[in-house]
Amino acid sequence: MASTLTPEQHQMMALTERIISGISLIGIFFIILTYLFASSFSKPINRLVFYASWGNLGLSIVALISLNGPDMGENSALCQFQGFMAQLFLGVDAYWAFCMAVNIYLVFFRSYNTKQLRSLDHKYFIACYGLSLIPAIIYLFIETKDRGRIYGGAVLWCWVSNKWSFLRIAVLYVFMWVAVLIAIVIYIMAGRYVWRKRDALDGFLNPFNEDPFTRDVVMTTSVTITSQQRKPSLSNLEVREIDQSHVDGTYDAYSVNIELGQPPQRPQRPRGQSRPAVFRLPTVTRAAALSEENVDAFLYARVAFLFFIALLITWVPSSVNRAYALAHPEYINFGLNFTSAIVFASQGLLNCLVYMATSQSACRKLWAKMLGREYNPPVVRKEESESSGIQRLDSDATSLTNLTAR
């Protein structure tokens, strides 16, 4: 364990940051441009991801500057700009994840609709960016003889300098983890609710499942046609002879029997290979759609939960690194700092993956348009299963018999 990093280690972190942040920038611009200019992406469940992407854009700029900021010196304009951007945008993802969790609570437990949620967007935007903007500006004007300016070298880039490191905990990490813990409580509450509805939400957590409310259906219809000789059933029926020349000898009386049969049984998975229902690719939607459930609520919850997982991937390594720095202030752990550099630079990339996973049909449509091809959306047939709380057409449902004609 060393008290400082070698120049080679610094260069390795800087190169890694810049490569990953460059990839993240591509993802961020994809989110921004498609949401603004492609109507198929502009849906409510993508809106908060779009708002959060601006914070990812700022953090990617910080990562691209990388060690150039500290190398220029803490009094340089570049270092102060980098420190300001880092303080402004580091906690934004956590705050937006908290806002998504609040929306989930409002939808699941207060029956909010999408219009009511949209009315909260401007409040969320002000809170998420304003909570970081105030200290970010104040730090620019604070300087003491003992500690110097607040913004200075912080291993990876210019941020709150090591002499002011307590501000990282008090002004960022505390607020961020309080927001995360409250979000976790809400997700646990929502998770229990989803678990009770698991039969209707087969495949809910599968990230490759764009709409956890669709499933292919196989419904069989059998038609049987039988012929039989008509016999008069009324004793007082008047019978007259008809000239046989007016009757086509090939014309027979007939009856029609139509039955709607059960879907064929799907092969059962061996018990040892069974997966939890919420992770399966095939899903059932109609159970929620035809009952009192709000389909949009489940779709929104899934996007928010995937966004939250991406947030944890980013912040857990950084928080471990921060805890280690507090416990061993005289040492710098290269592995933890290198991991923090990777996950911070990849925030935009992770959020783009969530965005694309929940907009797969829109992505396919955009790709077809770029190639000059016609987009043919897949045909989705709805399964109607009584075992999932839906009406089913079974073998005893309909029977039309003895439809006779001369």
Side-chain angles (χ1 to χ4, degrees):
M1 212 71 62
S3 57
T4 59
L5 298 179
T6 65
E8 291 78 12
Q9 290 173 330
H10 272 110
Q11 292 302 318
M12 183 184 299
M13 287 196 301
L15 179 62
T16 303
E17 275 186 318
R18 286 169 175 156
I19 293 174
I20 298 177
S21 60
I23 298 172
S24 288
L25 279 175
I26 297 174
I28 292 166
F29 285 122
F30 176 82
I31 294 174
I32 293 174
L33 294 176
T34 55
Y35 185 87
L36 289 176
F37 300 107
S39 58
S40 55
F41 288 90
S42 301
K43 49 189 178 180
I45 58 177
N46 285 338
R47 193 168 61 249
L48 294 191
V49 178
F50 166 74
Y51 292 150
S53 65
W54 294 99
N56 301 147
L57 176 61
L59 198 58
S60 293
I61 294 174
V62 171
L64 283 175
I65 296 174
S66 189
L67 294 175
N68 287 351
D71 290 345
M72 293 288 289
E74 69 174 27
N75 291 320
S76 66
L78 182 61
C79 182
Q80 292 299 304
F81 170 76
Q82 188 182 33
F84 170 80
M85 294 284 284
Q87 180 64 34
L88 176 59
F89 294 119
L90 270 174
V92 165
D93 261 16
Y95 301 147
W96 278 114
F98 172 75
C99 292
M100 290 183 178
V102 171
N103 277 359
I104 289 174
Y105 174 80
L106 294 175
V107 169
F108 275 76
F109 304 106
R110 290 294 181 266
S111 301
Y112 270 49
N113 56 37
T114 54
K115 184 177 180 180
Q116 289 173 304
L117 293 181
R118 191 180 187 92
S119 67
L120 299 174
D121 285 355
H122 69 284
K123 298 178 183 178
Y124 290 156
F125 194 90
I126 293 173
C128 289
Y129 289 104
L131 192 62
S132 298
L133 180 62
I134 294 174
I137 293 175
I138 292 175
Y139 288 177
L140 288 170
F141 303 100
I142 295 179
E143 182 179 3
T144 66
K145 292 183 179 180
D146 294 334
R147 293 192 174 97
R149 307 187 72 166
I150 292 182
Y151 292 137
V155 183
L156 299 176
W157 47 50
C158 281
W159 182 34
V160 176
S161 67
N162 293 330
K163 294 180 180 180
W164 294 89
S165 60
F166 68 93
L167 289 177
R168 302 177 190 173
I169 305 297
V171 183
L172 179 64
Y173 282 90
V174 168
F175 286 93
M176 186 274 298
W177 276 108
V178 167
V180 168
L181 291 176
I182 295 175
I184 289 175
V185 172
I186 295 175
Y187 283 120
I188 291 174
M189 295 169 59
R192 293 177 59 187
Y193 185 87
V194 169
W195 181 254
R196 290 197 298 268
K197 307 293 182 182
R198 61 188 179 277
D199 290 336
L201 295 170
D202 191 13
F204 177 77
L205 295 183
N206 194 313
F208 299 104
N209 217 4
E210 177 182 11
D211 183 352
F213 297 106
T214 56
R215 186 175 188 175
D216 288 341
V217 177
V218 178
M219 184 174 68
T220 60
T221 301
S222 61
V223 178
T224 304
I225 300 178
T226 59
S227 298
Q228 67 181 21
Q229 183 67 35
R230 291 189 62 190
K231 296 181 180 180
S233 59
L234 300 177
S235 58
N236 60 349
L237 181 65
E238 180 183 359
V239 179
R240 294 185 299 172
E241 291 186 2
I242 301 177
D243 186 353
Q244 294 299 318
S245 63
H246 297 292
V247 179
D248 185 355
T250 62
Y251 181 79
D252 296 327
Y254 66 89
S255 67
V256 179
N257 183 37
I258 300 177
E259 294 184 357
L260 300 181
Q262 287 183 329
Q265 295 294 326
R266 295 177 182 266
Q268 298 293 325
R269 290 173 58 90
R271 289 190 177 184
Q273 301 177 10
S274 62
R275 293 173 292 178
V278 292
F279 288 99
R280 296 175 191 154
L281 270 174
T283 61
V284 179
T285 188
R286 298 278 302 211
L290 294 181
S291 66
E292 76 282 359
E293 307 305 334
N294 184 348
V295 174
D296 289 337
F298 290 106
L299 290 172
Y300 187 94
R302 197 173 66 101
V303 175
F305 189 75
L306 293 175
F307 185 87
F308 185 73
I309 292 175
L311 171 73
L312 292 180
I313 292 173
T314 301
W315 277 99
V316 168
S318 174
S319 297
V320 172
N321 184 36
R322 185 54 42 216
Y324 180 89
L326 287 175
H328 307 281
E330 68 278 10
Y331 296 115
I332 297 178
N333 187 303
F334 170 72
L336 291 176
N337 279 278
F338 185 69
T339 304
S340 297
I342 292 175
V343 295
F344 272 135
S346 63
Q347 276 190 9
L349 174 62
L350 292 174
N351 291 344
C352 181
L353 293 177
V354 172
Y355 181 83
M356 294 177 67
T358 57
S359 306
Q360 294 174 44
S361 59
C363 290
R364 287 191 290 267
K365 182 178 179 180
L366 178 64
W367 181 249
K369 185 176 181 180
M370 291 173 62
L371 296 178
R373 299 174 181 173
E374 183 179 356
Y375 174 67
N376 296 315
V379 178
V380 178
R381 296 171 293 170
K382 305 297 183 181
E383 180 177 24
E384 297 188 338
S385 170
E386 190 152 358
S387 62
S388 298
I390 311 172
Q391 302 167 2
R392 166 180 280 183
L393 296 176
D394 55 29
S395 58
D396 297 326
T398 304
S399 180
L400 302 177
T401 59
N402 296 326
L403 297 178
T404 60
R406 293 181 61 178

